[in-house]
Amino acid sequence: MSVTTEELNREMTYAVPRRIGEYLRPEDIADPTLKPIAEKISTGQWLNFDDGMALWNTRDIFTLGAMANALRQAMHGRVAYYNINRHINYSNICALSCKFCEFHRKRGEEGSYEYQMEDIYRIANEAVSTGATEIHIVGGLHPWLPFNWYLEMLSGLRQRHPQVHLKCFTAIEIDHLSRISRLSYKEVLIALREHGLGSMPGGGAEVFDDRVHDEIFKGKLRADGWLEIHRTAHELGIKTNATILYGHVETRAERVRHLIALRELQDKAPGFQTIIPLSFIPDGSELGHLPGPTGMEDLKMLAISRLMLPNFAHVKAFWIMQTMKLSQVSLSFGVDDLDGTVVWYDITKRQGVAGNQHQEQTVEDIRRLVHEAGYIPVERDTLYRRVIRNGAQWHVES
Ligand code: V47
């Protein structure tokens, strides 16, 4: 099934926001507790903490979905974005031992690994030869790699592949680089950008709450540090993403407060592109006894993220965590972006899946499931510009 240019152009008019009311009729709101919230959404008002809690407490998943979908459609029409990307997790050796994380290892521990520069360049070459427009690089807090190693990696990649966008390092890694280089956050970010950094991913935010922090990721950068690094990046004109890791020991109230903190930073220092709610995968972690979020909880989290963050352009379902089937359904629950082809992913692995680091979606599959859900697949680059392909060549729409 292919999309006509006319169809695409019609859908791409989302740049001029449509009226949310066109998509949300008062008679569609079945749960009366949601009526005042629907009114606020239709009139462009921001939702407060109590509204966020009411959204969590409703059992009316369809109305919640319809409200999130109304906002999604007003912003993006029926466009659903994906990209051709490759994740590189350069090492799992990490000074931290977060309880939710299955990825981290200590030096010499079974399963620890560290890529050589040549490995990284080889993977990047493979990715570019299969059409990747983005390389997403994150790793553990490596105890002995010097700051120059990171700069060399970026400049080596930029030299080899000038067209490819390098989305690298969570705020946790930026804090680590600042400590080992004795440079400020601003100086670290400027140096990384000079060597090829294009933007920052949203990882490491977890849940902005001291209780949760001390219980399951003690020792990691706290909320204020994470927010300060993203603010600094935005002030330098570096785009970033944001995440929330949900479905472990946090409460629903803590989730709502996390989203409000992100919204406030975006208001004061805009620069976030996308919120990515990360569904906790317990397998293999110290929290392996927890059940992890259900499908209902996943859909609610995605829809509530859309509704609480009207000043974020995009909501992404990261299919590695929400699964591809639920991500498809989530396109009608506020989600407009499905991340990308990924290929290899080391940070989370589901048990019982053979060769479980190989986690790849083909472009054909992504496009097929987007079509089937009634949306129009649009390949984007990291900065959400449409990618136009002509054989092996590609450029972005200006
Ligand atoms: O920071 C770790 C999370 C994050 C688990 O910016 C876990 O485009 C679930 O941030 N279950 C890394 N999540 C991934 C990430 C990301 C992914 C895709 C796109 C983007 C983007 C960012 O994964 C970590 C941590 O919060 N994580 N362990 C787990 N067991």
Side-chain angles (χ1 to χ4, degrees):
M1 216 186 317
S2 64
V3 180
T4 63
T5 311
E6 191 196 323
E7 207 175 0
L8 245 185
N9 288 342
R10 196 170 61 241
E11 292 302 329
M12 297 297 278
T13 56
Y14 62 82
V16 183
R18 300 169 200 192
R19 282 192 337 101
I20 300 169
E22 283 176 40
Y23 302 102
L24 193 63
R25 296 171 310 164
E27 58 271 31
D28 294 336
I29 314 297
D31 176 350
T33 65
L34 298 181
K35 282 195 190 296
I37 300 179
E39 176 61 24
K40 278 189 173 179
I41 295 164
S42 299
T43 51
Q45 296 173 61
W46 283 6
L47 305 184
N48 61 28
F49 174 81
D50 291 338
D51 298 326
M53 290 309 290
L55 294 175
W56 273 115
N57 291 333
T58 185
R59 286 175 174 274
D60 184 359
I61 184 91
F62 296 110
T63 302
L64 176 61
M67 294 196 302
N69 193 38
L71 188 50
R72 179 240 193 270
Q73 292 225 45
M75 294 168 94
H76 304 292
R78 297 198 77 81
V79 166
Y81 293 102
Y82 68 93
N83 72 350
I84 300 188
N85 66 350
R86 182 84 176 234
H87 286 240
I88 303 180
N89 304 126
Y90 54 88
S91 174
N92 62 355
I93 299 174
C94 187
L96 297 172
S97 306
C98 301
K99 288 189 183 171
F100 60 79
C101 176
E102 192 278 335
F103 177 61
H104 67 87
R105 295 288 184 280
K106 296 297 170 221
R107 181 183 197 177
E109 191 181 338
E110 198 191 333
S112 63
Y113 74 85
E114 192 188 335
Y115 287 165
Q116 299 303 305
M117 210 57 91
E118 287 315 312
D119 298 323
I120 295 171
Y121 296 152
R122 179 182 43 76
I123 299 168
N125 272 338
E126 271 170 32
V128 171
S129 66
T130 55
T133 61
E134 168 189 289
I135 299 182
H136 179 154
I137 303 178
V138 295
L141 298 191
H142 197 289
W144 65 88
L145 286 177
F147 185 45
N148 263 341
W149 185 88
Y150 300 86
L151 299 178
E152 192 191 324
M153 171 174 72
L154 289 175
S155 51
L157 288 168
R158 185 170 61 178
Q159 209 184 2
R160 287 167 175 78
H161 308 292
Q163 203 185 3
V164 169
H165 185 104
L166 302 176
K167 182 172 80 176
C168 312
F169 312 127
T170 66
I172 312 303
E173 288 162 287
I174 301 294
D175 178 61
H176 174 70
L177 298 180
S178 155
R179 286 166 198 268
I180 62 173
S181 64
R182 297 173 191 270
L183 295 172
S184 66
Y185 293 152
K186 185 172 174 181
E187 289 164 332
V188 167
L189 287 165
I190 289 173
L192 293 173
R193 181 166 60 184
E194 277 170 2
H195 286 77
L197 180 82
S199 66
M200 273 173 62
E206 323 313 358
V207 178
F208 297 148
D209 183 89
D210 285 348
R211 179 195 71 79
V212 181
H213 177 273
D214 292 350
E215 197 174 328
I216 64 167
F217 47 99
K218 210 175 168 97
K220 200 170 200 168
L221 186 70
R222 283 184 188 271
D224 52 353
W226 192 97
L227 292 165
E228 186 190 336
I229 290 170
H230 281 259
R231 174 202 294 274
T232 309
H234 297 176
E235 285 168 357
L236 289 170
I238 299 172
K239 297 282 186 203
T240 76
N241 288 336
T243 55
I244 174 169
L245 174 67
Y246 66 95
H248 41 87
V249 304
E250 86 294 358
T251 63
R252 289 171 161 186
E254 286 157 354
R255 294 177 192 166
V256 173
R257 281 196 284 270
H258 181 105
L259 296 178
I260 290 175
L262 289 175
R263 186 174 72 189
E264 281 171 6
L265 178 58
Q266 178 77 328
D267 194 38
K268 291 193 196 106
F272 286 122
Q273 302 199 99
T274 314
I275 172 75
I276 306 132
L278 299 170
S279 182
F280 173 55
I281 299 179
D283 299 7
S285 76
E286 268 189 75
L287 302 178
H289 55 284
L290 296 178
T294 61
M296 283 285 275
E297 200 78 350
D298 281 337
L299 283 179
K300 280 181 134 183
M301 185 72 230
L302 292 162
I304 293 171
S305 299
R306 174 65 290 160
L307 293 170
M308 293 300 294
L309 298 176
N311 60 352
F312 273 58
H314 303 282
V315 178
K316 180 190 288 189
F318 187 42
W319 58 263
I320 297 267
M321 287 163 195
Q322 272 99 7
T323 76
M324 206 58 191
K325 289 184 180 183
L326 199 76
S327 300
Q328 180 189 33
V329 175
S330 74
L331 291 173
S332 299
F333 281 76
V335 166
D336 62 278
D337 184 22
L338 295 175
D339 199 81
T341 44
V342 182
V343 187
W344 294 88
Y345 193 71
D346 290 324
I347 295 178
T348 55
K349 306 170 187 88
R350 290 190 190 273
Q351 273 168 7
V353 180
N356 53 11
Q357 286 110 314
H358 184 209
Q359 307 193 64
E360 180 169 6
Q361 288 294 327
T362 63
V363 169
E364 291 69 32
D365 277 346
I366 295 176
R367 295 183 69 88
R368 179 173 59 85
L369 69 86
V370 167
H371 274 304
E372 205 179 85
Y375 292 85
I376 297 179
V378 170
E379 185 189 343
R380 62 161 178 89
D381 73 349
T382 312
L383 304 175
Y384 288 84
R385 296 170 300 189
R386 193 174 150 208
V387 172
I388 317 282
R389 291 194 180 263
N390 182 6
Q393 309 292 312
W394 60 270
H395 67 275
V396 291
E397 203 171 57
S398 46

